[in-house]
Amino acid sequence: MQTASPNKVAIVTGGGGGIGLAIAENFVSHDITTVIIGRNQEKLNAAGADLGPLCHPVCQDLDDLAALPGLIQQIITRFGRIDILVNNAGINQKKELTDVSDLEFQRILHTNVSVVFALSREVVRSMVAAGNGVIINISSMAAQYGIPKVIAYSASKSAIEGMTKAMAVELAPKGIRVNCIAPGFIATDMSEKALNGDAERKQKVMSRTPMGRLGAPADIGEAALYLVSEGAKYVTGVVLPVDGGNSIGF
Ligand code: NDP
């Protein structure tokens, strides 16, 4: 059985639903105090009620970069420290390249990359002072191979993998591990929007997924738990596909 040290404090962005909720659920059930951040108060409240007293919902639009230093400071003041950061919040847009405006492109890059950088910087400052910490970033199959109609999303997830490696080497001497999970096609609101109503795309996804089915959010929750556990203490800078074989499928 995987174990994580008790009484750790984690932040999971986008923890109110989908993959983030499954990660938070796994953390809480292993005694990790987990702050979930999202924009939708109702979703956060429901998640908080489900996960119980170790789960602490915080409603904040992370796109507001100026608010992030204060947000992290408040979390540290309340919980004493941050041991784990999961940069899970993300947005997607499916549109032909020629129809994507500069503003739309920047909006995806802002949420999926700039927020991850700014939040990590703030959290890393406190992790450096503590001499340890674990960060997990979330990539995608869109950074493993070419997928049409997701130009900004692909750029953002490729950036996430580069940042993961850069952070991992710079922060390893300071006791901080940084890894990335690359989920395959996981059944959430995001994949539903991308696949439902597009039979051809869904068929293409299935035909190159050797396990023949979508993943469950809990599959990513298990991988995240491993990466924050003592069992992964010598693991840093990796991109771990959790994808039913999709990334290596024919
Ligand atoms: P969902 O759309 O279900 O969830 C995304 C979460 O991100 C929501 O909880 C949302 O919170 C939060 N979020 C988005 N923007 C912001 C913001 N500005 N501030 C705060 N929170 C924000 O997606 P998934 O669970 O499917 O995706 C989670 C991660 O996994 C993403 O990074 C995605 O790119 C990645 N991924 C997903 C795959 C899939 O097949 N589902 C495949 C590969 C990667 P709220 O609703 O409260 O605003």
Side-chain angles (χ1 to χ4, degrees), residues 34-205:
T34 305
V35 178
I36 56 172
I37 304 174
R39 296 164 297 185
N40 183 324
Q41 186 77 63
E42 258 176 51
K43 258 168 67 179
L44 290 167
N45 288 347
D50 273 0
L51 300 195
L54 284 181
C55 176
H56 301 272
V58 171
C59 195
Q60 171 70 51
D61 186 345
L62 295 168
D63 284 354
D64 180 5
L65 298 185
L68 302 187
L71 173 73
I72 295 308
Q73 216 32 66
Q74 276 171 25
I75 293 170
I76 292 170
T77 303
R78 183 160 170 208
F79 298 101
R81 63 186 191 283
I82 298 164
D83 302 293
I84 297 162
L85 170 65
V86 182
N87 287 307
N88 164 80
I91 53 173
N92 193 2
Q93 181 196 43
K94 195 172 127 198
K95 216 174 190 187
E96 299 240 355
L97 179 152
T98 46
D99 292 335
V100 176
S101 71
D102 292 341
L103 206 63
E104 286 171 328
F105 189 88
Q106 281 160 18
R107 197 172 68 87
I108 306 267
L109 268 287
H110 184 83
T111 302
N112 292 7
V113 180
S114 299
V115 168
V116 170
F117 161 67
L119 204 60
S120 300
R121 180 192 59 210
E122 297 307 314
V123 171
V124 161
R125 285 184 178 140
S126 77
M127 287 177 169
V128 166
N132 64 67
V134 184
I135 296 175
I136 298 176
N137 296 322
I138 306 291
S139 180
S140 161
M141 291 302 106
Q144 318 310 312
Y145 53 79
I147 304 181
K149 299 185 197 164
V150 283
I151 186 67
Y153 186 74
S154 302
S156 73
K157 294 303 187 181
S158 300
I160 284 296
E161 295 197 4
M163 276 165 62
T164 298
K165 289 170 195 152
M167 287 164 76
V169 295
E170 186 168 336
L171 300 176
K174 302 177 196 298
I176 302 166
R177 296 188 296 107
V178 186
N179 290 296
C180 186
I181 297 172
F185 291 81
I186 310 297
T188 67
D189 290 351
M190 185 183 280
S191 61
E192 194 177 307
K193 268 186 221 146
L195 297 179
N196 285 4
D198 189 341
E200 193 188 335
R201 202 168 179 99
K202 195 162 187 179
Q203 143 65 17
K204 197 143 194 185
V205 165

Side-chain angles (χ1 to χ4, degrees), residues 18-19 21-23 25-26 186-188 215-225 242:
I19 289 173
L21 177 59
I23 294 172
E25 202 168 357
N26 242 316
I186 310 297
T188 67
D219 295 326
I220 309 304
E222 292 291 343
L225 188 66
V242 180

